[in-house]
Amino acid sequence: EEFRTHAGEVVNPYLILKVRRDADRDEIRESYIALSRRYHPDGPEGVRSKGVLPGKCNSLEDVREEWERIKLSYEILSDKK
């Protein structure tokens, strides 16, 4: 099941959150928390201001976009379980 972001990008919430399709609510939540710690635009403390970016992000805007994908994916999957 895929959805479109506000920018029109088609994404799969299971792939974004890195969980199986049969993942239970707890697995989805744990993945969301782990990814949130890594990709939230405001954290970790001081790291973003030094230019250290997570994953394949090349800019703070990329981090914000990935965070929006993660947040939206969690909202979609947590409503289904």
Side-chain angles (χ1 to χ4, degrees):
E1 300 170 22
E2 298 175 334
F3 65 93
R4 289 191 183 273
T5 63
H6 69 281
E9 176 186 9
V10 177
V11 294
N12 181 321
Y14 296 98
L15 292 177
I16 297 292
L17 291 180
K18 301 176 183 176
V19 295
R20 301 177 327 269
R21 288 194 174 273
D22 62 347
D24 64 25
R25 184 180 291 262
D26 289 336
E27 290 173 292
I28 292 169
R29 185 173 185 276
E30 287 172 16
S31 179
Y32 169 72
I33 289 170
L35 290 168
S36 293
R37 285 186 185 127
R38 183 171 182 194
Y39 284 95
H40 194 283
D42 294 336
E45 190 71 31
V47 173
R48 303 285 186 263
S49 63
K50 294 177 185 171
V52 178
L53 302 172
K56 297 179 182 177
C57 297
N58 295 316
S59 68
L60 192 53
E61 185 59 34
D62 289 348
V63 174
R64 286 187 185 104
E65 288 173 8
E66 187 63 20
W67 164 243
E68 287 300 319
R69 288 184 202 100
I70 292 166
K71 189 170 67 167
L72 187 55
S73 294
Y74 178 70
E75 289 170 4
I76 289 168
L77 294 183
S78 63
D79 285 346
K80 289 186 170 201
K81 300 289 177 176

